[in-house]
Amino acid sequence: MNKKLHLVSLGCTKNLVDSEVMLGRLQNYEITDESQEADVIIVNTCGFIDAAKEESINTVLSLHESRKEDSVLVMAGCLSERYKEELMQELPEIDIFTGVGDYEKIDQLIATKQSSFTPEVYLATEKSGRVITGSTYHAYIKIAEGCNQQCSFCAIPSFKGKLHSRSLDSIVKEVEMLVAKGYYDFSFISQDSSSYGRDMGLKDGLRDLIAAIEKVEGVKSARILYLYPSTTTFALIDDIANSNTFQTYYDMPIQHIDDRVLKTMKRGFGEKQTIALLEHMKSKSDAFIRTSVIAGHPGESEESFEKLCSFMETFGFDRFNTFHYSNEESTTAYEMEQIAPEVIAQRAAILGSIAERTTEASLEKMVGKEVELVVEGPSQEHEFLLSARPLQWAPEIDGEVLVNDTNDLPITYGKTYKATITERAGMQLLATLRKDV
């Protein structure tokens, strides 16, 4: 009888790719959703902000409380890397600690019950043997690790290091391998995707990537996540819009719009240039624009905050996330004069309300349009509804469309269909299928 494995992947999709690499190394284990039955439990942690760190610690301790005797509990990933000395001293409950360099050695670490922190950050390649989870048609492709930016609020470079890009050849080979397995939709990810290739001497590496992926037969849809304002060019925006493969989808976290705050954040780009980029994106036909902002960064005056709110209310983002400022040691903002937590919470709530309104407006614009949907499966909303995603939207973060009329078409989950968006019900869209694609 195979031993059982329970794996929890916390944080971003970049973490998910690394979790899938670990699954690839542990294919002799039977995957179980019941942690109490598992012989090995792995938590791939997130160490980005306070809320993520708290979730990681709580998850590890909760799993320890309920695990069976003689099971092995592994704490991996960003939080483990960032605080390795403290955690190894304070968490005797953990059997194996490992950071962000040894995902491909996880089988060896478990076999020997040894902790390990390889200095180099691991970057998955086409040879990693990862096991894609959660989808039969979509996969995330990590194109780089680390980051060369020096944002005042971000500790990621302190434990992920400088930008390290994969070769274009490696990326193309992985996509080709996945297409051969039936995958046709891809999201290309890294910490600062628009800097891809700069460490290899590429001037605008994402443009090269787009051109290369467009030549891969079988790729039906793709998108790029996490652009950075000062490394995103107008030519890149144009290439995305003009591509027959890549969705006209722009995910560029701006974090703020007020010049004074942007300067304090060390964003390297001001209000005027940021708005110019956004307006250029907005000018593209059927563009979908996603961003994120931070509420309560040191130096954010009431006037700065009101300016941010006004911009977020009027620009017309399709989606945006708000993060409470988290004061992280090892960042330059750590020693700055801090804004009171209750003020941060109040500002985040205001931005959250604006985000709801802008999302509703974005959804309303889709009513009456014909879109290409991929049907995911039964909806959790109602047994007679199907859950679907417009191919333009990113998986998991942009929402779902509910199909309430299939026109008696034969339904295959993971297949694409032409559909008409018929109405909006609150934060949900309803659709009727027209034909398969």
Side-chain angles (χ1 to χ4, degrees):
M1 181 183 295
N2 287 347
K3 289 189 174 183
K4 294 184 177 181
L5 168 68
H6 180 77
L7 187 147
V8 179
S9 189
L10 301 174
C12 64
T13 53
K14 299 184 289 294
N15 260 20
L16 177 62
V17 171
D18 295 327
S19 295
E20 291 173 343
V21 170
M22 289 193 283
L23 289 177
R25 302 298 299 181
L26 299 169
Q27 292 188 61
N28 57 320
Y29 284 80
E30 176 187 342
I31 304 299
T32 178
D33 291 330
E34 303 300 326
S35 62
Q36 300 91 335
E37 300 176 358
D39 299 285
V40 173
I41 301 170
I42 301 174
V43 182
N44 196 8
T45 60
C46 178
F48 180 39
I49 56 176
D50 283 342
K53 290 184 282 188
E54 184 177 345
E55 180 187 23
S56 293
I57 295 294
N58 289 341
T59 299
V60 168
L61 294 178
S62 175
L63 289 169
H64 166 69
E65 287 295 324
S66 60
R67 66 170 167 152
K68 71 178 186 179
E69 191 176 354
D70 297 327
S71 62
V72 176
L73 180 56
V74 183
M75 187 173 187
C78 295
L79 185 68
S80 186
E81 180 74 36
R82 187 177 177 187
Y83 299 104
K84 47 182 172 284
E85 290 86 3
E86 298 96 317
L87 292 173
M88 292 179 75
Q89 183 177 351
E90 296 175 9
L91 291 179
E93 298 89 347
I94 309 302
D95 300 301
I96 299 171
F97 289 89
T98 184
V100 296
D102 293 307
Y103 297 112
E104 212 170 275
K105 300 177 185 176
I106 190 65
D107 51 339
Q108 300 171 31
L109 300 183
I110 291 171
T112 58
K113 290 191 177 180
Q114 290 184 334
S115 296
S116 177
F117 290 92
T118 297
E120 294 80 20
V121 178
Y122 177 80
L123 177 57
T125 71
E126 80 281 8
K127 299 176 182 178
S128 297
R130 56 188 277 234
V131 174
I132 308 300
T133 60
S135 178
T136 58
Y137 70 91
H138 170 268
Y140 293 100
I141 306 294
K142 191 187 287 192
I143 62 175
E145 264 294 3
C147 184
N148 286 349
Q149 309 301 338
Q150 298 181 340
C151 301
S152 63
F153 52 84
C154 185
I156 288 175
S158 69
F159 57 89
K160 282 292 187 84
K162 294 290 187 180
L163 177 72
H164 172 53
S165 303
R166 282 174 69 179
S167 71
L168 193 55
D169 182 62
S170 172
I171 294 169
V172 169
K173 284 180 178 177
E174 183 178 13
V175 171
E176 289 174 339
M177 289 168 57
L178 290 170
V179 167
K181 295 179 180 179
Y183 292 86
Y184 61 81
D185 183 39
F186 298 91
S187 296
F188 294 88
I189 57 173
S190 70
Q191 187 64 31
D192 170 14
S193 292
S194 44
S195 286
Y196 166 72
R198 291 193 172 200
D199 56 317
M200 302 187 299
L202 299 179
K203 183 178 179 182
D204 204 342
L206 277 190
R207 299 185 67 197
D208 299 329
L209 184 146
I210 290 169
I213 298 302
E214 285 178 329
K215 296 175 183 176
V216 179
E217 188 174 350
V219 178
K220 184 173 186 175
S221 171
R223 67 200 59 75
I224 299 164
L225 305 183
Y226 320 127
L227 303 175
Y228 191 90
S230 63
T231 53
T232 297
T233 64
F234 287 90
L236 172 61
I237 293 170
D238 292 341
D239 281 2
I240 291 172
N242 296 332
S243 173
N244 292 322
T245 301
F246 281 77
Q247 301 290 341
T248 308
Y249 185 102
Y250 303 104
D251 179 2
M252 187 177 75
I254 62 171
Q255 309 305 4
H256 216 281
I257 201 61
D258 181 68
D259 268 327
R260 289 168 294 180
V261 180
L262 288 171
K263 184 175 181 180
T264 304
M265 287 180 166
K266 295 189 174 181
R267 292 293 283 175
F269 225 44
E271 172 187 348
K272 184 177 179 180
Q273 300 100 312
T274 300
I275 292 176
L277 283 176
L278 291 170
E279 291 290 354
H280 195 61
M281 294 173 183
K282 196 175 181 180
S283 71
K284 304 305 177 183
S285 178
D286 294 322
F288 187 102
I289 306 176
R290 164 179 275 280
T291 194
S292 65
V293 294
I294 295 174
H297 188 281
E300 183 187 61
S301 64
E302 192 64 41
E303 181 184 2
S304 299
F305 176 67
E306 290 174 1
K307 185 174 184 177
L308 174 63
C309 289
S310 176
F311 182 75
M312 302 309 291
E313 188 85 65
T314 58
F315 177 78
F317 289 101
D318 293 283
R319 304 286 189 278
F320 79 83
N321 292 336
T322 301
F323 290 93
H324 294 61
Y325 169 76
S326 177
N327 198 28
E328 299 295 315
E329 65 271 23
S330 79
T331 67
T332 55
Y334 186 69
E335 299 296 337
M336 296 179 185
E337 183 177 350
Q338 303 296 306
I339 293 174
E342 58 270 23
V343 175
I344 294 175
Q346 182 185 46
R347 291 179 180 179
I350 292 170
L351 286 166
S353 297
I354 295 173
E356 282 192 24
R357 292 194 291 274
T358 58
T359 298
E360 286 179 349
S362 174
L363 295 173
E364 186 65 34
K365 288 191 299 184
M366 293 183 67
V367 176
K369 288 188 175 181
E370 185 177 89
V371 298
E372 188 170 353
L373 298 175
V374 55
V375 176
E376 305 269 18
S379 170
Q380 295 182 353
E381 296 287 329
H382 194 281
E383 59 181 321
F384 296 135
L385 299 175
L386 296 175
S387 176
R389 174 177 65 88
L391 266 184
Q392 185 182 36
W393 294 6
E396 302 171 24
I397 59 174
D398 291 327
E400 66 173 345
V401 171
L402 301 178
V403 176
N404 62 350
D405 186 351
T406 64
N407 262 326
D408 295 325
L409 291 170
I411 301 300
T412 301
Y413 298 149
K415 185 176 174 59
T416 57
Y417 298 81
K418 290 291 186 183
T420 300
I421 305 296
T422 55
E423 63 179 295
R424 177 177 70 87
M427 300 294 280
Q428 294 279 20
L429 291 176
L430 300 179
T432 297
L433 300 187
R434 299 302 180 194
K435 61 179 179 179
D436 58 13
V437 182

